[in-house]
Amino acid sequence: MTYTSARDRLIVALDMPTLEAARSLVHSLDDTVSFYKVGLELLFVGGLQFAQELRHMRKRVFLDMKLLDIGNTVERAVSNAADLGVNFLTVHGTDVKTMHAAVTGRGDRPMKLLAVTVLTNLTTEDLKQQGSAMTPAQLVLHRAKLAYETGFDGVIASGQEAEAIRAATAPDFLIVTPGIRLAGGGADDQARIMTPDRAISAGADYLVIGRPITEASEPKMMADTFIRHIKEARHGMVK
Ligand code: C5P
C-alpha cells in the first residue's frame, strides 16, 4: 500500500461564491494544502476550469458532483470526467445500476470513484421523511457494502460510521469523511460530526474540511492545525 502523509489526507472543500475567492484561498494556503474539493457551488462559476488550474499547480482534485441519473447518462458523464484527469469523483450510492454504469464509464482510468452513502447533515428523522426506516448508520453500511461489491474505490461517510464500514469492506477501501469539526467548534448545518482525531482513529483515510478552514481568520494556520491532528491520530494508531 502506498504511503500517504497527514498533509495529503486533508482535502479542503472549495465551497466559495466566486473563482476569485477560491483562487485567493488556494494562494494563501500555498504548500500547506495539496488536495482540493470542487463542488456544486464552485461548479457554476467556472469550477471545472478551476479544476484544471489546480492540476497545473500540481494539486490533487476531488470533483464532488454527486451524480445520480439513468445508467447511460452516468456512464458517459463519468467517462468524460475521467478524461479531465481528476483524482476523485462522487456518485450517489443509492442503487447498483447507477454504480455499475459509473464503473463501466470510468474504465481503466486511474480516477477513484466514491459513493455518497448518506449525507452527513441527515438524521434518522430525515431518513424517515424520505421513506426509509433505517438509521443513518444502517443505511450507510448497506450502501457502503453495495459500493464495495460494485467495484467502487470508496465511500463518503461520517466518521461515526467509519469503523463499521472498514470492518465490512477491505483495508484499502477508501473512507472519505466530511462533517469534521474541532472539539468545541460549531456544527454549521452538519448533523453527524466528529473531531479529526476521532475520525482518523475510526478508520477515515481522508478528511474533507470546508468552513472551519475557508471561513477561518487564518486559513493556513487552521489547515496546519487539522494536519497536526491527523498526524497525531495516525501516530496513536501505530503505537
Ligand atoms: O463546510 P463543511 O466542512 O461542513 O463542508 C463539508 C463538505 O463536504 C461540503 O462541501 C459538502 O458538500 C461535503 N459533503 C458532506 N456530506 C457528504 C458528502 C459531501 O458534507 N455526505
Side-chain angles (χ1 to χ4, degrees):
M1 205 180 286
T2 51
Y3 172 76
T4 309
S5 70
R7 184 171 305 274
D8 292 339
R9 291 177 188 278
L10 169 69
I11 303 176
V12 172
L14 288 173
D15 297 326
M16 320 286 293
T18 63
L19 270 196
E20 290 66 38
R23 236 180 236 129
S24 148
L25 181 75
V26 169
H27 181 76
S28 66
L29 291 172
D30 197 24
D31 283 346
T32 304
V33 174
S34 63
F35 210 155
Y36 286 98
K37 182 169 89 73
V38 172
L40 299 177
E41 183 176 352
L42 203 61
L43 177 73
F44 297 108
V45 289
L48 290 183
Q49 170 205 331
F50 192 61
Q52 294 308 318
E53 269 182 58
L54 288 169
R55 287 188 60 238
H56 290 135
M57 293 162 77
R58 299 192 175 283
K59 303 294 184 190
R60 303 187 80 212
V61 178
F62 168 5
L63 270 194
D64 188 14
M65 297 295 109
K66 297 188 174 73
L67 301 177
L68 178 59
D69 209 319
I70 61 168
N72 180 62
T73 305
V74 168
E75 182 179 328
R76 294 179 186 201
V78 169
S79 178
N80 282 350
D83 282 343
L84 296 176
V86 297
N87 304 91
F88 289 179
L89 175 74
T90 44
V91 174
H92 272 287
T94 48
D95 75 274
V96 288
K97 279 186 189 165
T98 306
M99 288 194 280
H100 274 304
V103 171
T104 306
R106 185 260 312 268
D108 57 7
R109 271 78 59 87
M111 181 181 77
K112 306 279 188 205
L113 285 172
L114 304 175
V116 177
T117 53
V118 176
L119 296 172
T120 46
N121 67 337
L122 299 180
T123 62
T124 304
E125 265 313 295
D126 297 320
L127 294 186
K128 207 165 137 193
Q129 212 167 44
Q130 290 181 8
S132 168
M134 290 189 186
T135 63
Q138 291 167 331
L139 192 52
V140 166
L141 192 59
H142 174 70
R143 289 179 174 167
K145 284 185 200 161
L146 287 184
Y148 178 62
E149 286 159 12
T150 315
F152 265 56
D153 303 283
V155 284
I156 310 292
S158 101
Q160 298 179 15
E161 294 110 23
E163 226 170 300
I165 294 171
R166 180 65 68 221
T169 58
D172 61 351
F173 191 64
L174 299 174
I175 302 175
V176 179
T177 299
I180 299 296
R181 294 295 182 269
L182 290 175
D188 298 310
D189 65 340
Q190 297 281 15
R192 307 195 320 279
I193 59 170
M194 215 181 220
T195 62
D197 315 62
R198 288 195 55 214
I200 291 289
S201 304
D205 296 292
Y206 292 88
L207 303 185
V208 176
I209 303 172
R211 288 161 290 183
I213 292 176
T214 59
E215 294 178 1
S217 52
E218 304 253 19
K220 192 176 162 86
M221 206 185 282
M222 190 54 87
D224 263 325
T225 302
F226 277 105
I227 292 166
R228 203 181 60 239
H229 280 275
I230 296 173
K231 199 177 279 173
E232 285 169 4
R234 290 200 55 87
H235 281 162
M237 287 165 75
V238 293
K239 264 178 206 158

